[in-house]
C-alpha cells in the first residue's frame, strides 16, 4: 500500500504553498498521505483548515538535525513507503533520512534552485550549495515544466529519473473573494475604484523582475496618467524598487499593497494580470488569474508558453524587455473587448488542460513507478 510522507519547510507562500496543499488534499482521496513541516505558521494552519494530516516538527535553526531521528521513527512506525520533498530545507533533511532508511525519495523542483537565494550573497553561497548537495541523493525528480526538466538534465541529473508534471487547480471548487471596492478600501485605495488597475502578484525577489513592471508602468503613464499599478508586498522589502519608482516620478500611480493569503481578493480587484519573472516554473498566479478570466501578460519563461498563446489568450514578452511589455500592455488597455475575450479564452484552456484531478493522478502514477522500480531492484538483489 502506498503511504506518502511530504516534507516542506512550512514557511512557504505563494505557488509552492498552493501546490503542496491542494495536491495533498486531492491525493488524500486515493491514498494515505501526511505532511511534516518544520515551523508553525499560516502554512500549517491552512493545512489543518483543509482537513490535511499535518505534523509540525519545529527546528531551532535550519541546520538543526535532531528532527531526523524523529522522522525516521515516524516513517517506521506509520509505515510510509516513500518520501516526497519540497524545497531546499526539506531536501537537506531528506538526504540524511536516506542515510538511515532505504526509502524511495522524490523532490519537486518548483523553481530554478540556483536562483532561489539570489539577492542574498550569504544564503546563495551556503544554502544553494547545500541544496545541490542534497539533490544529488534523490532517486527521482518532478519538474513542474518541460523547461525545468531540461534544466535538470543540463545540470547533470539523469533524464530517466525526471518526470514532468504541470501544476493544476480545482476549477470546480467554489471560491470567494472580496469585492473590488472593499479590497481597495481596506488598502487605503478606494479612490482608485473606477480606475484601470494593472497588478503583479509575486513575492518581492530579484528573480521576479519587478523593475521591468515598473519601467513598463512609466512608459504607459507617459501617455495615460489615469492608470494605476499595484505591486504585492511592502516597499521596504526591496528599497531599490521604491527608489526606481521615485526616480521615474511615478510614485502617485504605483502602489505597494502588502500581501495576504487571499490572492483572489487581489486578482478580482485588478483589470490586467502581469508577471515579469526571469525564471518561472508554471506559476499559480496565472492559473488563479485564469480562474477569474483576467487578461494576462507574462514573460515567456518556464512552462508559461504552454498556457498562454501570444495574441490568442494573452500576451507574452521576452523576459527583461520592458519595451515589449509596455507595448503589449498598451494593446490590452486600448482594446478592452479583445482583452476580455483573451481572459475568457485563457480560462477555457486552463480549465481543460490543468485540472487538480490530473495533477493528482500524475503523481499517483509516479509513486507507482517508484515503488515498482524499488520492488524490481530488491528482486534483482535477492537473486544475485
Amino acid at each position: 500500500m502506498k503511504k506518502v510522507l511530504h516534507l516542506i519547510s512550512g514557511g512557504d507562500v505563494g505557488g509552492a504553498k498552493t501546490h503542496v496543499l491542494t495536491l495533498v488534499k486531492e491525493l488524500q482521496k486515493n491514498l494515505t498521505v501526511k505532511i511534516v513541516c518544520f515551523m508553525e505558521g499560516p502554512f500549517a494552519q491552512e493545512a489543518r483548515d483543509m482537513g490535511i494530516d499535518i505534523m509540525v516538527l519545529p527546528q531551532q535553526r535550519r541546520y538543526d538535525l535532531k528532527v531526523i531521528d524523529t522522522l525516521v521513527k515516524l516513517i517506521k512506525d506509520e509505515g510510509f513507503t516513500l518520501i516526497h520533498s519540497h524545497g531546499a530545507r526539506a531536501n537537506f533533511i531528506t538526504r540524511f533520512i536516506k542515510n538511515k532508511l532505504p526509502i524511495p525519495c522524490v523532490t519537486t523542483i518548483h523553481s530554478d534552485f540556483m536562483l532561489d537565494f539570489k539577492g542574498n550573497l550569504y544564503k546563495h553561497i551556503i544554502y544553494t550549495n547545500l541544496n545541490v548537495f542534497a539533490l544529488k541523493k534523490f532517486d527521482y525528480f518532478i519538474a513542474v515544466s518541460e523547461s525545468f526538466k531540461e534544466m535538470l538534465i543540463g545540470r547533470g541529473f539523469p533524464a530517466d529519473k525526471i518526470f514532468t508534471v504541470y501544476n493544476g487547480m480545482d476549477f470546480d471548487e467554489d471560491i470567494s473573494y472580496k469585492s473590488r471596492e472593499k479590497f481597495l478600501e481596506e488598502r487605503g485605495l478606494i479612490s482608485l475604484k473606477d480606475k484601470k488597475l494593472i497588478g503583479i502578484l509575486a513575492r518581492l525577489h530579484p528573480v521576479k523582475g519587478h523593475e521591468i513592471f515598473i519601467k513598463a508602468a512609466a512608459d504607459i503613464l507617459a501617455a495615460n496618467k489615469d492608470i494605476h499599478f499595484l505591486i504585492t508586498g511592502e516597499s521596504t522589502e526591496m528599497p531599490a524598487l521604491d527608489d526606481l519608482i521615485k526616480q521615474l516620478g511615478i510614485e502617485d500611480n504605483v502602489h505597494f499593497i502588502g500581501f495576504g493569503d487571499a490572492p483572489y481578493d487581489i486578482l478580482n480587484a485588478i483589470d490586467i494580470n502581469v508577471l515579469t519573472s526571469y525564471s518561472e516554473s508554471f506559476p499559480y498566479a496565472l492559473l488563479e488569474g485564469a480562474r477569474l478570466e483576467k487578461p494576462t501578460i507574462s514573460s515567456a519563461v518556464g512552462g508559461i508558453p504552454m498556457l498562454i498563446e501570444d495574441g490568442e489568450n494573452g500576451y507574452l514578452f521576452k523576459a527583461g524587455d520592458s519595451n515589449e511589455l509596455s507595448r503589449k500592455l498598451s494593446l490590452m488597455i486600448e482594446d478592452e473587448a479583445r482583452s476580455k475575450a483573451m481572459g475568457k479564452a485563457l480560462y477555457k484552456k486552463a480549465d481543460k488542460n490543468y485540472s487538480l484531478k490530473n495533477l493528482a493522478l500524475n503523481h499517483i502514477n509516479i509513486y507507482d513507478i517508484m515503488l515498482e522500480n524499488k520492488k524490481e531492484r530488491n528482486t534483482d538483489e535477492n537473486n544475485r
Side-chain angles (χ1 to χ4, degrees), residues 89-109:
R89 181 179 295 203
N91 291 343
F92 184 66
I93 290 169
T94 300
R95 177 175 178 112
F96 288 94
I97 294 173
K98 283 280 287 180
N99 290 338
K100 294 174 177 284
L101 288 176
I103 185 169
C105 299
V106 61
T107 182
T108 295
I109 305 300

Side-chain angles (χ1 to χ4, degrees), residues 62-345:
R62 182 179 285 267
Y63 307 116
D64 177 10
L65 300 181
K66 291 196 291 284
V67 298
I68 292 169
D69 288 339
T70 304
L71 282 168
V72 169
K73 185 176 186 304
L74 173 72
I75 291 166
K76 290 179 177 178
D77 289 349
E78 298 194 19
F80 286 102
T81 54
L82 58 88
I83 294 174
H84 190 157
S85 177
H86 305 267
R89 181 179 295 203
N91 291 343
F92 184 66
I93 290 169
T94 300
R95 177 175 178 112
F96 288 94
I97 294 173
K98 283 280 287 180
N99 290 338
K100 294 174 177 284
L101 288 176
I103 185 169
C105 299
V106 61
T107 182
T108 295
I109 305 300
H110 294 277
S111 60
D112 182 344
F113 53 86
M114 296 303 294
L115 300 177
D116 283 347
F117 301 102
K118 183 180 179 182
N120 185 314
L121 184 60
Y122 170 78
K123 287 184 176 181
H124 177 68
I125 293 173
I126 302 299
Y127 296 161
T128 299
N129 285 323
L130 286 177
N131 194 22
V132 172
F133 163 80
L135 288 170
K136 293 182 182 299
K137 189 74 171 180
F138 275 83
D139 304 298
Y140 301 95
F141 307 85
I142 297 175
V144 295
S145 72
E146 194 62 27
S147 64
F148 271 25
K149 179 176 181 177
E150 293 169 1
M151 172 191 77
L152 287 169
I153 294 170
R155 292 175 183 170
F157 293 91
D160 62 339
K161 302 297 184 182
I162 306 169
F163 303 93
T164 301
V165 182
Y166 286 86
N167 289 335
M169 63 185 299
D170 188 349
F171 285 88
D172 296 322
E173 183 182 32
D174 290 334
I175 55 173
S176 60
Y177 42 83
K178 295 171 182 173
S179 68
R180 176 181 169 113
E181 289 76 12
K182 182 173 178 59
F183 174 80
L184 292 173
E185 183 177 19
E186 289 179 351
R187 305 299 168 111
L189 299 170
I190 190 61
S191 62
L192 307 184
K193 67 182 180 67
D194 297 319
K195 305 292 185 182
K196 178 77 76 174
L197 301 181
I198 299 171
I200 178 170
L201 278 76
R203 60 194 170 96
L204 292 175
H205 185 284
V207 78
K208 298 298 183 179
H210 286 83
E211 74 279 4
I212 303 304
F213 181 76
I214 292 167
K215 290 175 182 177
D219 288 344
I220 297 294
L221 290 169
N224 190 336
K225 297 289 188 184
D226 212 29
I227 295 174
H228 289 257
F229 296 80
L230 307 185
I231 300 174
T232 52
E234 303 292 347
S235 60
T236 52
E237 293 181 61
M238 285 186 72
L241 295 180
D242 200 35
D243 291 343
L244 178 61
I245 291 166
K246 291 173 181 174
Q247 187 180 50
L248 294 170
I250 57 174
E251 57 266 40
D252 291 340
N253 292 74
V254 181
H255 314 272
F256 289 91
I257 58 172
F259 201 84
D261 291 324
Y264 289 114
D265 289 351
I266 302 168
L267 286 163
N268 182 57
I270 63 177
D271 298 292
I272 298 174
N273 188 22
V274 179
L275 197 65
T276 54
S277 302
Y278 292 102
S279 174
E280 275 291 353
S281 53
F282 193 72
Y284 275 96
L286 298 187
L287 287 176
E288 290 161 342
R291 182 78 188 273
L292 296 187
E293 300 183 355
K294 290 296 170 180
T296 302
I297 304 177
S298 175
S299 50
V301 295
I304 293 171
M306 293 290 292
L307 174 65
I308 298 177
E309 301 166 71
D310 189 42
E312 298 296 326
N313 61 357
Y315 284 119
L316 296 171
F317 68 94
K318 182 180 178 181
D321 191 338
S322 62
N323 292 327
E324 186 182 8
L325 172 57
S326 62
R327 180 173 62 81
K328 290 186 172 179
L329 261 178
S330 295
L331 292 174
M332 204 164 256
I333 293 166
E334 291 164 5
D335 195 339
E336 188 171 339
R338 188 181 182 201
S339 296
K340 288 184 177 180
M342 284 182 170
K344 292 181 182 297

